[in-house]
Amino acid sequence: MNLENKRVWVAGHRGMVGSALVRRLAAENCEILTAGRDTLDLLDQAAVRAWVAKERPDAIFLAAAKVGGILANDSFPADFLYQNLVIETNIIDAAHRADVAKLCFLGSSCIYPKFAEQPIVEDALLTGPLEPTNEWYAIAKIAGIKLAQAYRRQYGRDYISAMPTNLYGPGDNFDLQSSHVLPALMRKAHEAKVGGARTMTLWGSGTPMREFLHVDDCADACVFLMKNYSGADHVNVGSGTDIAIADLARLVCEVVGADVEIVLDTSKPDGTPRKLMSNARLAGMGWTPGIALRDGIAATYDWFLAHHA
Ligand code: GFB
C-alpha cells in the first residue's frame, strides 16, 4: 500500500510504539489521525465504530494495548486479557464496517509456546503451552492475529499482523512495578549512581535470555510491512540476537555509568527461559534492524535524563 496522501490512524499514539509510529510516519507524506483517551475510549464499541465511520481512515496501525512487564502481567490477568481483547475486536470490526482497506495489528513474542525451539519461527504458534506469567496477554494477542486472519478469509480484508519482540526506547514506562526489564534496570542503575548505592537488585535468576529491539526499528518495520506485505501469516519483528538478563544489567550499568554489584531477588519470576525469534521471514522481504543495542540504550538514557531524571 502506498501511504502517500492516505489517512492513517495510529491507534495508541501516546504509547511507546504508537508515538514511534507517528514519528516514523512523518516521512511518509500521509495524514496521521490520532484520538486521545479523552476523545475516544477504545473499550467502548459504539464509540469506536462511530469514530472510525466518521474519520474513514485508509489504513490503521493497531498499536493500542494494555501492556506491562512480567509482574504486571502476572498480577492483573483479567485486565490484560479483557482490555486487549476488547480493544482489538472493537478496532478490527470497526475497520471492516467502515471499509478500511488495510490494518496492521501489533502483537508480541509472548504468543509463542514457553519452550518453543529457538530461534522461534512464525509456524511455532499454537504448538505448545504458553508461559503462565503472561498467558492472558498472549491469548489476547493470538486472538488478534486470528481476527485479522478471519476478516481476511471471510471478507477479503487486507489485515496483517506484526509480532515485535521485547521493545525499548523513548516513551517507555519507567515505573518499577509495571515496567519491562530494560527501563527498570535503567532507572535502578541511574538511581544507584545518583544516590551512591553499591548494589542494584535484579528480579529472578538473571539467566533468562531476551531479545531487544529499539522501538524506532519496530516502527520502521511496521511501516515497511504496511507498504509491502499482504498475507494471512503474522510476521516476526526482532533484532535477531538475545542477551542474558544479568548481562543486560551490566550493559545498562556501563552505559549509565553506575558502578554497582548486582543482587538477585529470586522471589520474583523468571518467566520464559528464552524467546529469540527468527527474523528470517522479514529479512527475506528486505527489512533488517538498524539500531545496535548499546546505541539504543544510550539514546534511551538521554531521553530518560531529559524526561524523568
Ligand atoms: O521485561 P520483562 O518484565 O518481561 O522481564 P518478559 C524480562 C526478564 O527480566 C524476566 C527479569 O526474567 C524478569 O524477571 N527482570 C530482572 C526484571 N529485573 C527486572 C526488573 O527490575 N523489572 C522487570 N520487569 N523484569 C513480558 C510479558 O515478559 O514481555 C509481556 O510479560 C510481553 O506479556 C513483554 O510479552 C514483551 O519478557 O518476561
Side-chain angles (χ1 to χ4, degrees), residues 68-74 80 108-111 131 133-135 137-138 164-167 176-182 184-185 188 201-206 208 210 212 245 248 268-272 275:
I70 192 166
L71 193 62
N73 270 265
D74 206 22
F80 277 81
S108 162
S109 58
C110 69
I111 58 164
E131 153 60 31
T133 54
N134 58 33
E135 65 175 315
Y137 180 73
T165 188
N166 288 37
L167 302 172
L176 294 181
Q177 291 306 304
S178 60
S179 75
H180 290 99
V181 61
L182 201 150
L185 296 181
K188 287 181 191 178
T201 307
L202 204 67
W203 293 355
S205 66
R210 291 290 184 276
F212 295 94
I245 295 301
L248 175 76
K268 295 287 195 307
D270 266 346
T272 198
K275 49 175 175 183

mmCIF file of all heavy atoms in Angstrom, residues 68-74 80 108-111 131 133-135 137-138 164-167 176-182 184-185 188 201-206 208 210 212 245 248 268-272 275, ligand 1:
data_model
loop_
_atom_site.group_PDB
_atom_site.id
_atom_site.type_symbol
_atom_site.label_atom_id
_atom_site.label_comp_id
_atom_site.label_asym_id
_atom_site.label_seq_id
_atom_site.Cartn_x
_atom_site.Cartn_y
_atom_site.Cartn_z
ATOM 1 N N GLY A 68 2.655 -4.278 29.854
ATOM 2 C CA GLY A 68 3.429 -4.176 31.081
ATOM 3 C C GLY A 68 4.447 -5.286 31.164
ATOM 4 O O GLY A 68 4.480 -6.182 30.319
ATOM 5 N N GLY A 69 5.281 -5.219 32.177
ATOM 6 C CA GLY A 69 6.316 -6.222 32.374
ATOM 7 C C GLY A 69 5.784 -7.476 33.042
ATOM 8 O O GLY A 69 4.567 -7.626 33.234
ATOM 9 N N ILE A 70 6.680 -8.323 33.414
ATOM 10 C CA ILE A 70 6.331 -9.666 33.901
ATOM 11 C C ILE A 70 5.436 -9.600 35.144
ATOM 12 O O ILE A 70 4.465 -10.353 35.259
ATOM 13 C CB ILE A 70 7.620 -10.491 34.146
ATOM 14 C CG1 ILE A 70 7.315 -11.955 34.373
ATOM 15 C CG2 ILE A 70 8.463 -9.919 35.274
ATOM 16 C CD1 ILE A 70 8.548 -12.860 34.270
ATOM 17 N N LEU A 71 5.728 -8.677 36.072
ATOM 18 C CA LEU A 71 4.963 -8.619 37.320
ATOM 19 C C LEU A 71 3.550 -8.090 37.072
ATOM 20 O O LEU A 71 2.576 -8.619 37.615
ATOM 21 C CB LEU A 71 5.690 -7.739 38.349
ATOM 22 C CG LEU A 71 5.163 -7.837 39.769
ATOM 23 C CD1 LEU A 71 5.300 -9.243 40.331
ATOM 24 C CD2 LEU A 71 5.896 -6.832 40.672
ATOM 25 N N ALA A 72 3.434 -7.060 36.232
ATOM 26 C CA ALA A 72 2.111 -6.501 35.897
ATOM 27 C C ALA A 72 1.269 -7.566 35.199
ATOM 28 O O ALA A 72 0.089 -7.757 35.526
ATOM 29 C CB ALA A 72 2.270 -5.275 35.015
ATOM 30 N N ASN A 73 1.860 -8.283 34.252
ATOM 31 C CA ASN A 73 1.141 -9.344 33.541
ATOM 32 C C ASN A 73 0.642 -10.412 34.508
ATOM 33 O O ASN A 73 -0.490 -10.881 34.406
ATOM 34 C CB ASN A 73 2.064 -10.004 32.520
ATOM 35 C CG ASN A 73 2.005 -9.346 31.157
ATOM 36 O OD1 ASN A 73 1.266 -9.777 30.293
ATOM 37 N ND2 ASN A 73 2.767 -8.280 30.969
ATOM 38 N N ASP A 74 1.518 -10.773 35.436
ATOM 39 C CA ASP A 74 1.211 -11.844 36.383
ATOM 40 C C ASP A 74 0.177 -11.404 37.423
ATOM 41 O O ASP A 74 -0.608 -12.215 37.915
ATOM 42 C CB ASP A 74 2.523 -12.246 37.086
ATOM 43 C CG ASP A 74 2.484 -13.672 37.581
ATOM 44 O OD1 ASP A 74 1.676 -14.466 37.062
ATOM 45 O OD2 ASP A 74 3.263 -14.000 38.507
ATOM 46 N N PHE A 80 -5.339 -7.588 31.545
ATOM 47 C CA PHE A 80 -4.556 -7.826 30.326
ATOM 48 C C PHE A 80 -5.361 -8.610 29.291
ATOM 49 O O PHE A 80 -5.285 -8.319 28.096
ATOM 50 C CB PHE A 80 -3.238 -8.544 30.660
ATOM 51 C CG PHE A 80 -2.167 -7.590 31.112
ATOM 52 C CD1 PHE A 80 -2.123 -7.134 32.419
ATOM 53 C CD2 PHE A 80 -1.220 -7.113 30.222
ATOM 54 C CE1 PHE A 80 -1.156 -6.221 32.836
ATOM 55 C CE2 PHE A 80 -0.248 -6.198 30.617
ATOM 56 C CZ PHE A 80 -0.214 -5.757 31.938
ATOM 57 N N SER A 108 2.960 -9.610 20.059
ATOM 58 C CA SER A 108 4.117 -9.725 20.952
ATOM 59 C C SER A 108 4.730 -11.115 20.823
ATOM 60 O O SER A 108 4.027 -12.086 20.511
ATOM 61 C CB SER A 108 3.647 -9.520 22.386
ATOM 62 O OG SER A 108 4.590 -10.016 23.297
ATOM 63 N N SER A 109 6.015 -11.212 21.135
ATOM 64 C CA SER A 109 6.699 -12.515 21.045
ATOM 65 C C SER A 109 6.216 -13.502 22.105
ATOM 66 O O SER A 109 6.521 -14.690 22.034
ATOM 67 C CB SER A 109 8.213 -12.326 21.162
ATOM 68 O OG SER A 109 8.537 -11.692 22.376
ATOM 69 N N CYS A 110 5.433 -13.034 23.092
ATOM 70 C CA CYS A 110 4.961 -13.970 24.122
ATOM 71 C C CYS A 110 3.808 -14.847 23.628
ATOM 72 O O CYS A 110 3.327 -15.701 24.358
ATOM 73 C CB CYS A 110 4.574 -13.238 25.398
ATOM 74 S SG CYS A 110 3.115 -12.228 25.219
ATOM 75 N N ILE A 111 3.400 -14.678 22.362
ATOM 76 C CA ILE A 111 2.360 -15.552 21.787
ATOM 77 C C ILE A 111 2.870 -16.975 21.597
ATOM 78 O O ILE A 111 2.087 -17.905 21.443
ATOM 79 C CB ILE A 111 1.899 -15.039 20.399
ATOM 80 C CG1 ILE A 111 3.086 -14.943 19.427
ATOM 81 C CG2 ILE A 111 1.161 -13.716 20.531
ATOM 82 C CD1 ILE A 111 2.718 -14.823 17.973
ATOM 83 N N GLU A 131 3.743 -19.497 28.402
ATOM 84 C CA GLU A 131 4.377 -19.126 29.668
ATOM 85 C C GLU A 131 3.282 -18.593 30.609
ATOM 86 O O GLU A 131 2.555 -17.642 30.239
ATOM 87 C CB GLU A 131 5.451 -18.071 29.363
ATOM 88 C CG GLU A 131 5.784 -17.098 30.468
ATOM 89 C CD GLU A 131 6.315 -17.764 31.730
ATOM 90 O OE1 GLU A 131 6.978 -18.824 31.634
ATOM 91 O OE2 GLU A 131 6.045 -17.237 32.819
ATOM 92 N N THR A 133 3.134 -16.692 33.274
ATOM 93 C CA THR A 133 3.097 -15.290 33.750
ATOM 94 C C THR A 133 2.412 -14.360 32.759
ATOM 95 O O THR A 133 1.912 -13.312 33.145
ATOM 96 C CB THR A 133 4.510 -14.724 34.038
ATOM 97 O OG1 THR A 133 5.328 -14.885 32.869
ATOM 98 C CG2 THR A 133 5.160 -15.388 35.226
ATOM 99 N N ASN A 134 2.433 -14.717 31.466
ATOM 100 C CA ASN A 134 1.792 -13.782 30.523
ATOM 101 C C ASN A 134 0.847 -14.454 29.540
ATOM 102 O O ASN A 134 0.579 -13.918 28.472
ATOM 103 C CB ASN A 134 2.838 -12.925 29.797
ATOM 104 C CG ASN A 134 3.843 -13.756 29.049
ATOM 105 O OD1 ASN A 134 3.518 -14.821 28.544
ATOM 106 N ND2 ASN A 134 5.064 -13.288 28.946
ATOM 107 N N GLU A 135 0.288 -15.603 29.966
ATOM 108 C CA GLU A 135 -0.595 -16.294 29.016
ATOM 109 C C GLU A 135 -1.866 -15.502 28.722
ATOM 110 O O GLU A 135 -2.440 -15.622 27.639
ATOM 111 C CB GLU A 135 -0.941 -17.704 29.503
ATOM 112 C CG GLU A 135 -1.739 -17.761 30.763
ATOM 113 C CD GLU A 135 -2.149 -19.203 31.108
ATOM 114 O OE1 GLU A 135 -2.597 -19.941 30.218
ATOM 115 O OE2 GLU A 135 -2.005 -19.570 32.278
ATOM 116 N N TYR A 137 -2.214 -12.160 28.414
ATOM 117 C CA TYR A 137 -1.859 -11.209 27.361
ATOM 118 C C TYR A 137 -1.622 -11.957 26.047
ATOM 119 O O TYR A 137 -2.077 -11.528 24.978
ATOM 120 C CB TYR A 137 -0.589 -10.471 27.804
ATOM 121 C CG TYR A 137 -0.061 -9.436 26.850
ATOM 122 C CD1 TYR A 137 -0.710 -8.219 26.692
ATOM 123 C CD2 TYR A 137 1.118 -9.660 26.138
ATOM 124 C CE1 TYR A 137 -0.198 -7.248 25.839
ATOM 125 C CE2 TYR A 137 1.639 -8.696 25.289
ATOM 126 C CZ TYR A 137 0.974 -7.497 25.142
ATOM 127 O OH TYR A 137 1.485 -6.541 24.296
ATOM 128 N N ALA A 138 -0.945 -13.083 26.126
ATOM 129 C CA ALA A 138 -0.626 -13.858 24.919
ATOM 130 C C ALA A 138 -1.893 -14.343 24.220
ATOM 131 O O ALA A 138 -2.015 -14.253 22.992
ATOM 132 C CB ALA A 138 0.275 -15.042 25.280
ATOM 133 N N PRO A 164 6.245 -7.957 17.289
ATOM 134 C CA PRO A 164 7.530 -7.435 17.768
ATOM 135 C C PRO A 164 8.053 -8.209 18.986
ATOM 136 O O PRO A 164 7.276 -8.722 19.787
ATOM 137 C CB PRO A 164 7.217 -5.998 18.179
ATOM 138 C CG PRO A 164 5.846 -5.707 17.697
ATOM 139 C CD PRO A 164 5.152 -7.022 17.545
ATOM 140 N N THR A 165 9.350 -8.243 19.110
ATOM 141 C CA THR A 165 9.992 -8.813 20.290
ATOM 142 C C THR A 165 9.932 -7.794 21.432
ATOM 143 O O THR A 165 9.218 -6.795 21.340
ATOM 144 C CB THR A 165 11.450 -9.181 19.940
ATOM 145 O OG1 THR A 165 12.007 -9.905 21.031
ATOM 146 C CG2 THR A 165 12.297 -7.952 19.657
ATOM 147 N N ASN A 166 10.688 -7.998 22.517
ATOM 148 C CA ASN A 166 10.694 -7.034 23.632
ATOM 149 C C ASN A 166 11.243 -5.693 23.132
ATOM 150 O O ASN A 166 12.362 -5.636 22.622
ATOM 151 C CB ASN A 166 11.576 -7.544 24.786
ATOM 152 C CG ASN A 166 10.942 -8.710 25.538
ATOM 153 O OD1 ASN A 166 10.296 -9.562 24.930
ATOM 154 N ND2 ASN A 166 11.130 -8.750 26.829
ATOM 155 N N LEU A 167 10.459 -4.641 23.304
ATOM 156 C CA LEU A 167 10.825 -3.321 22.770
ATOM 157 C C LEU A 167 11.296 -2.402 23.894
ATOM 158 O O LEU A 167 10.931 -2.587 25.052
ATOM 159 C CB LEU A 167 9.615 -2.692 22.078
ATOM 160 C CG LEU A 167 9.004 -3.507 20.941
ATOM 161 C CD1 LEU A 167 7.698 -2.873 20.479
ATOM 162 C CD2 LEU A 167 9.983 -3.639 19.775
ATOM 163 N N LEU A 176 8.748 1.075 38.363
ATOM 164 C CA LEU A 176 9.437 -0.182 38.697
ATOM 165 C C LEU A 176 8.504 -1.371 38.897
ATOM 166 O O LEU A 176 8.912 -2.511 38.713
ATOM 167 C CB LEU A 176 10.306 0.006 39.941
ATOM 168 C CG LEU A 176 11.490 0.967 39.755
ATOM 169 C CD1 LEU A 176 12.305 1.074 41.039
ATOM 170 C CD2 LEU A 176 12.384 0.535 38.593
ATOM 171 N N GLN A 177 7.252 -1.123 39.235
ATOM 172 C CA GLN A 177 6.323 -2.240 39.436
ATOM 173 C C GLN A 177 5.730 -2.752 38.130
ATOM 174 O O GLN A 177 5.487 -3.941 37.975
ATOM 175 C CB GLN A 177 5.180 -1.826 40.376
ATOM 176 C CG GLN A 177 5.611 -1.609 41.809
ATOM 177 C CD GLN A 177 6.341 -2.823 42.378
ATOM 178 O OE1 GLN A 177 5.821 -3.935 42.389
ATOM 179 N NE2 GLN A 177 7.563 -2.605 42.835
ATOM 180 N N SER A 178 5.492 -1.840 37.191
ATOM 181 C CA SER A 178 4.746 -2.251 35.992
ATOM 182 C C SER A 178 5.582 -2.290 34.715
ATOM 183 O O SER A 178 5.100 -2.734 33.680
ATOM 184 C CB SER A 178 3.557 -1.305 35.782
ATOM 185 O OG SER A 178 4.011 0.025 35.619
ATOM 186 N N SER A 179 6.839 -1.855 34.768
ATOM 187 C CA SER A 179 7.625 -1.729 33.540
ATOM 188 C C SER A 179 8.225 -3.058 33.084
ATOM 189 O O SER A 179 8.229 -4.045 33.819
ATOM 190 C CB SER A 179 8.771 -0.740 33.745
ATOM 191 O OG SER A 179 9.773 -1.348 34.522
ATOM 192 N N HIS A 180 8.755 -3.027 31.881
ATOM 193 C CA HIS A 180 9.570 -4.131 31.387
ATOM 194 C C HIS A 180 10.978 -4.016 31.966
ATOM 195 O O HIS A 180 11.325 -3.020 32.606
ATOM 196 C CB HIS A 180 9.623 -4.103 29.854
ATOM 197 C CG HIS A 180 8.318 -4.476 29.224
ATOM 198 N ND1 HIS A 180 7.427 -3.540 28.746
ATOM 199 C CD2 HIS A 180 7.754 -5.680 29.008
ATOM 200 C CE1 HIS A 180 6.366 -4.161 28.264
ATOM 201 N NE2 HIS A 180 6.522 -5.459 28.410
ATOM 202 N N VAL A 181 11.787 -5.034 31.689
ATOM 203 C CA VAL A 181 13.090 -5.109 32.358
ATOM 204 C C VAL A 181 14.028 -3.958 31.983
ATOM 205 O O VAL A 181 14.699 -3.404 32.851
ATOM 206 C CB VAL A 181 13.754 -6.495 32.127
ATOM 207 C CG1 VAL A 181 14.019 -6.778 30.656
ATOM 208 C CG2 VAL A 181 15.034 -6.606 32.924
ATOM 209 N N LEU A 182 14.116 -3.610 30.727
ATOM 210 C CA LEU A 182 15.157 -2.646 30.336
ATOM 211 C C LEU A 182 14.966 -1.256 30.976
ATOM 212 O O LEU A 182 15.904 -0.737 31.591
ATOM 213 C CB LEU A 182 15.274 -2.574 28.811
ATOM 214 C CG LEU A 182 16.604 -2.021 28.309
ATOM 215 C CD1 LEU A 182 16.980 -2.618 26.960
ATOM 216 C CD2 LEU A 182 16.609 -0.515 28.231
ATOM 217 N N ALA A 184 13.340 -0.669 33.670
ATOM 218 C CA ALA A 184 13.500 -0.848 35.117
ATOM 219 C C ALA A 184 14.989 -0.810 35.483
ATOM 220 O O ALA A 184 15.389 -0.133 36.436
ATOM 221 C CB ALA A 184 12.879 -2.175 35.558
ATOM 222 N N LEU A 185 15.803 -1.533 34.712
ATOM 223 C CA LEU A 185 17.240 -1.572 35.019
ATOM 224 C C LEU A 185 17.865 -0.197 34.820
ATOM 225 O O LEU A 185 18.753 0.210 35.583
ATOM 226 C CB LEU A 185 17.945 -2.607 34.137
ATOM 227 C CG LEU A 185 17.510 -4.063 34.362
ATOM 228 C CD1 LEU A 185 18.289 -4.995 33.453
ATOM 229 C CD2 LEU A 185 17.689 -4.465 35.825
ATOM 230 N N LYS A 188 16.930 1.868 37.817
ATOM 231 C CA LYS A 188 17.638 1.412 39.023
ATOM 232 C C LYS A 188 19.114 1.808 38.966
ATOM 233 O O LYS A 188 19.686 2.234 39.963
ATOM 234 C CB LYS A 188 17.515 -0.110 39.155
ATOM 235 C CG LYS A 188 16.132 -0.592 39.583
ATOM 236 C CD LYS A 188 16.154 -2.113 39.706
ATOM 237 C CE LYS A 188 14.765 -2.695 39.867
ATOM 238 N NZ LYS A 188 14.778 -4.167 39.933
ATOM 239 N N THR A 201 19.256 -4.259 42.539
ATOM 240 C CA THR A 201 18.519 -5.528 42.593
ATOM 241 C C THR A 201 17.940 -5.914 41.237
ATOM 242 O O THR A 201 17.342 -5.097 40.538
ATOM 243 C CB THR A 201 17.374 -5.437 43.628
ATOM 244 O OG1 THR A 201 17.937 -5.008 44.858
ATOM 245 C CG2 THR A 201 16.704 -6.782 43.827
ATOM 246 N N LEU A 202 18.146 -7.172 40.918
ATOM 247 C CA LEU A 202 17.643 -7.754 39.669
ATOM 248 C C LEU A 202 16.615 -8.807 40.048
ATOM 249 O O LEU A 202 16.841 -9.577 40.966
ATOM 250 C CB LEU A 202 18.839 -8.429 39.002
ATOM 251 C CG LEU A 202 18.840 -8.637 37.505
ATOM 252 C CD1 LEU A 202 18.902 -7.292 36.829
ATOM 253 C CD2 LEU A 202 20.069 -9.451 37.122
ATOM 254 N N TRP A 203 15.482 -8.834 39.360
ATOM 255 C CA TRP A 203 14.466 -9.848 39.648
ATOM 256 C C TRP A 203 14.884 -11.189 39.037
ATOM 257 O O TRP A 203 15.438 -11.230 37.923
ATOM 258 C CB TRP A 203 13.134 -9.464 39.037
ATOM 259 C CG TRP A 203 12.477 -8.260 39.642
ATOM 260 C CD1 TRP A 203 12.903 -7.539 40.723
ATOM 261 C CD2 TRP A 203 11.278 -7.631 39.189
ATOM 262 N NE1 TRP A 203 12.040 -6.506 40.967
ATOM 263 C CE2 TRP A 203 11.033 -6.525 40.055
ATOM 264 C CE3 TRP A 203 10.378 -7.886 38.158
ATOM 265 C CZ2 TRP A 203 9.922 -5.697 39.888
ATOM 266 C CZ3 TRP A 203 9.278 -7.049 37.996
ATOM 267 C CH2 TRP A 203 9.056 -5.974 38.859
ATOM 268 N N GLY A 204 14.528 -12.256 39.723
ATOM 269 C CA GLY A 204 14.751 -13.599 39.180
ATOM 270 C C GLY A 204 16.219 -13.996 39.238
ATOM 271 O O GLY A 204 16.997 -13.463 40.042
ATOM 272 N N SER A 205 16.584 -14.943 38.375
ATOM 273 C CA SER A 205 17.932 -15.526 38.427
ATOM 274 C C SER A 205 18.946 -14.789 37.557
ATOM 275 O O SER A 205 20.140 -15.062 37.646
ATOM 276 C CB SER A 205 17.847 -16.985 37.953
ATOM 277 O OG SER A 205 17.481 -17.005 36.583
ATOM 278 N N GLY A 206 18.476 -13.918 36.695
ATOM 279 C CA GLY A 206 19.390 -13.221 35.774
ATOM 280 C C GLY A 206 19.775 -14.060 34.573
ATOM 281 O O GLY A 206 20.434 -13.579 33.656
ATOM 282 N N PRO A 208 17.518 -15.775 32.367
ATOM 283 C CA PRO A 208 16.666 -15.787 31.170
ATOM 284 C C PRO A 208 17.283 -14.949 30.052
ATOM 285 O O PRO A 208 17.957 -13.945 30.316
ATOM 286 C CB PRO A 208 15.351 -15.159 31.644
ATOM 287 C CG PRO A 208 15.322 -15.371 33.102
ATOM 288 C CD PRO A 208 16.757 -15.306 33.546
ATOM 289 N N ARG A 210 16.666 -12.687 26.648
ATOM 290 C CA ARG A 210 15.655 -11.885 25.967
ATOM 291 C C ARG A 210 16.282 -11.175 24.762
ATOM 292 O O ARG A 210 17.456 -10.826 24.772
ATOM 293 C CB ARG A 210 15.059 -10.825 26.897
ATOM 294 C CG ARG A 210 14.186 -11.372 28.021
ATOM 295 C CD ARG A 210 12.871 -11.932 27.525
ATOM 296 N NE ARG A 210 12.028 -12.365 28.634
ATOM 297 C CZ ARG A 210 12.120 -13.561 29.229
ATOM 298 N NH1 ARG A 210 13.011 -14.442 28.819
ATOM 299 N NH2 ARG A 210 11.309 -13.859 30.232
ATOM 300 N N PHE A 212 16.016 -7.812 22.343
ATOM 301 C CA PHE A 212 15.540 -6.431 22.459
ATOM 302 C C PHE A 212 15.649 -5.703 21.127
ATOM 303 O O PHE A 212 16.637 -5.841 20.415
ATOM 304 C CB PHE A 212 16.343 -5.679 23.527
ATOM 305 C CG PHE A 212 16.131 -6.238 24.904
ATOM 306 C CD1 PHE A 212 17.010 -7.189 25.425
ATOM 307 C CD2 PHE A 212 15.027 -5.864 25.652
ATOM 308 C CE1 PHE A 212 16.796 -7.741 26.680
ATOM 309 C CE2 PHE A 212 14.812 -6.413 26.909
ATOM 310 C CZ PHE A 212 15.689 -7.354 27.426
ATOM 311 N N ILE A 245 19.683 -11.674 30.980
ATOM 312 C CA ILE A 245 19.251 -10.501 31.746
ATOM 313 C C ILE A 245 20.401 -9.946 32.607
ATOM 314 O O ILE A 245 20.576 -8.725 32.706
ATOM 315 C CB ILE A 245 18.015 -10.857 32.613
ATOM 316 C CG1 ILE A 245 16.809 -11.196 31.706
ATOM 317 C CG2 ILE A 245 17.669 -9.728 33.575
ATOM 318 C CD1 ILE A 245 16.369 -10.089 30.748
ATOM 319 N N LEU A 248 22.537 -7.970 30.372
ATOM 320 C CA LEU A 248 21.848 -6.717 30.034
ATOM 321 C C LEU A 248 22.035 -5.714 31.172
ATOM 322 O O LEU A 248 22.296 -4.528 30.937
ATOM 323 C CB LEU A 248 20.351 -6.976 29.800
ATOM 324 C CG LEU A 248 19.524 -5.714 29.560
ATOM 325 C CD1 LEU A 248 19.754 -5.182 28.144
ATOM 326 C CD2 LEU A 248 18.040 -5.974 29.772
ATOM 327 N N LYS A 268 11.066 -13.093 42.754
ATOM 328 C CA LYS A 268 10.376 -12.638 41.543
ATOM 329 C C LYS A 268 10.552 -13.671 40.424
ATOM 330 O O LYS A 268 11.564 -14.375 40.374
ATOM 331 C CB LYS A 268 10.951 -11.296 41.075
ATOM 332 C CG LYS A 268 10.723 -10.152 42.046
ATOM 333 C CD LYS A 268 9.279 -9.700 42.038
ATOM 334 C CE LYS A 268 9.072 -8.357 42.701
ATOM 335 N NZ LYS A 268 9.610 -8.241 44.043
ATOM 336 N N PRO A 269 9.555 -13.765 39.534
ATOM 337 C CA PRO A 269 9.608 -14.808 38.491
ATOM 338 C C PRO A 269 10.618 -14.515 37.378
ATOM 339 O O PRO A 269 10.936 -13.367 37.105
ATOM 340 C CB PRO A 269 8.189 -14.787 37.909
ATOM 341 C CG PRO A 269 7.668 -13.417 38.188
ATOM 342 C CD PRO A 269 8.333 -12.941 39.445
ATOM 343 N N ASP A 270 11.090 -15.600 36.781
ATOM 344 C CA ASP A 270 11.986 -15.504 35.618
ATOM 345 C C ASP A 270 11.198 -15.366 34.322
ATOM 346 O O ASP A 270 11.684 -14.825 33.341
ATOM 347 C CB ASP A 270 12.828 -16.793 35.492
ATOM 348 C CG ASP A 270 14.173 -16.656 36.193
ATOM 349 O OD1 ASP A 270 14.564 -15.525 36.542
ATOM 350 O OD2 ASP A 270 14.835 -17.700 36.380
ATOM 351 N N GLY A 271 10.019 -15.982 34.314
ATOM 352 C CA GLY A 271 9.271 -16.032 33.052
ATOM 353 C C GLY A 271 9.872 -17.065 32.129
ATOM 354 O O GLY A 271 10.555 -18.003 32.564
ATOM 355 N N THR A 272 9.622 -16.877 30.854
ATOM 356 C CA THR A 272 10.095 -17.857 29.884
ATOM 357 C C THR A 272 11.638 -17.853 29.847
ATOM 358 O O THR A 272 12.256 -16.804 30.000
ATOM 359 C CB THR A 272 9.444 -17.553 28.509
ATOM 360 O OG1 THR A 272 9.538 -18.678 27.689
ATOM 361 C CG2 THR A 272 10.085 -16.381 27.814
ATOM 362 N N LYS A 275 13.394 -16.352 24.605
ATOM 363 C CA LYS A 275 12.477 -16.131 23.470
ATOM 364 C C LYS A 275 13.160 -15.278 22.410
ATOM 365 O O LYS A 275 12.979 -14.060 22.358
ATOM 366 C CB LYS A 275 11.115 -15.580 23.883
ATOM 367 C CG LYS A 275 11.079 -14.396 24.796
ATOM 368 C CD LYS A 275 9.637 -13.908 25.007
ATOM 369 C CE LYS A 275 9.611 -12.799 26.023
ATOM 370 N NZ LYS A 275 8.301 -12.304 26.355
HETATM 371 O O1 GFB B 1 10.721 -7.438 30.526
HETATM 372 P P1 GFB B 1 10.040 -8.356 31.479
HETATM 373 O O2 GFB B 1 9.254 -7.715 32.560
HETATM 374 O O3 GFB B 1 9.070 -9.305 30.730
HETATM 375 O O4 GFB B 1 11.145 -9.283 32.178
HETATM 376 P P2 GFB B 1 9.089 -10.694 29.905
HETATM 377 C C1 GFB B 1 12.140 -9.938 31.473
HETATM 378 C C2 GFB B 1 13.068 -10.666 32.435
HETATM 379 O O5 GFB B 1 13.810 -9.696 33.207
HETATM 380 C C3 GFB B 1 12.391 -11.567 33.471
HETATM 381 C C4 GFB B 1 13.784 -10.045 34.572
HETATM 382 O O6 GFB B 1 13.155 -12.739 33.635
HETATM 383 C C5 GFB B 1 12.434 -10.728 34.741
HETATM 384 O O7 GFB B 1 12.408 -11.496 35.938
HETATM 385 N N1 GFB B 1 13.982 -8.849 35.394
HETATM 386 C C6 GFB B 1 15.080 -8.612 36.179
HETATM 387 C C7 GFB B 1 13.150 -7.799 35.537
HETATM 388 N N2 GFB B 1 14.949 -7.482 36.854
HETATM 389 C C8 GFB B 1 13.764 -6.931 36.464
HETATM 390 C C9 GFB B 1 13.081 -5.731 36.827
HETATM 391 O O8 GFB B 1 13.524 -4.920 37.637
HETATM 392 N N3 GFB B 1 11.882 -5.492 36.190
HETATM 393 C C10 GFB B 1 11.358 -6.367 35.277
HETATM 394 N N4 GFB B 1 10.185 -6.058 34.704
HETATM 395 N N5 GFB B 1 11.969 -7.534 34.957
HETATM 396 C C11 GFB B 1 6.856 -9.653 29.149
HETATM 397 C C12 GFB B 1 5.453 -10.192 29.109
HETATM 398 O O9 GFB B 1 7.583 -10.764 29.502
HETATM 399 O O10 GFB B 1 7.349 -9.230 27.886
HETATM 400 C C13 GFB B 1 4.565 -9.424 28.262
HETATM 401 O O11 GFB B 1 5.005 -10.340 30.443
HETATM 402 C C14 GFB B 1 5.178 -9.026 26.934
HETATM 403 O O12 GFB B 1 3.416 -10.181 28.044
HETATM 404 C C15 GFB B 1 6.548 -8.444 27.116
HETATM 405 O O13 GFB B 1 5.215 -10.123 26.056
HETATM 406 C C16 GFB B 1 7.240 -8.136 25.802
HETATM 407 O O14 GFB B 1 9.959 -10.627 28.700
HETATM 408 O O15 GFB B 1 9.339 -11.852 30.799
#
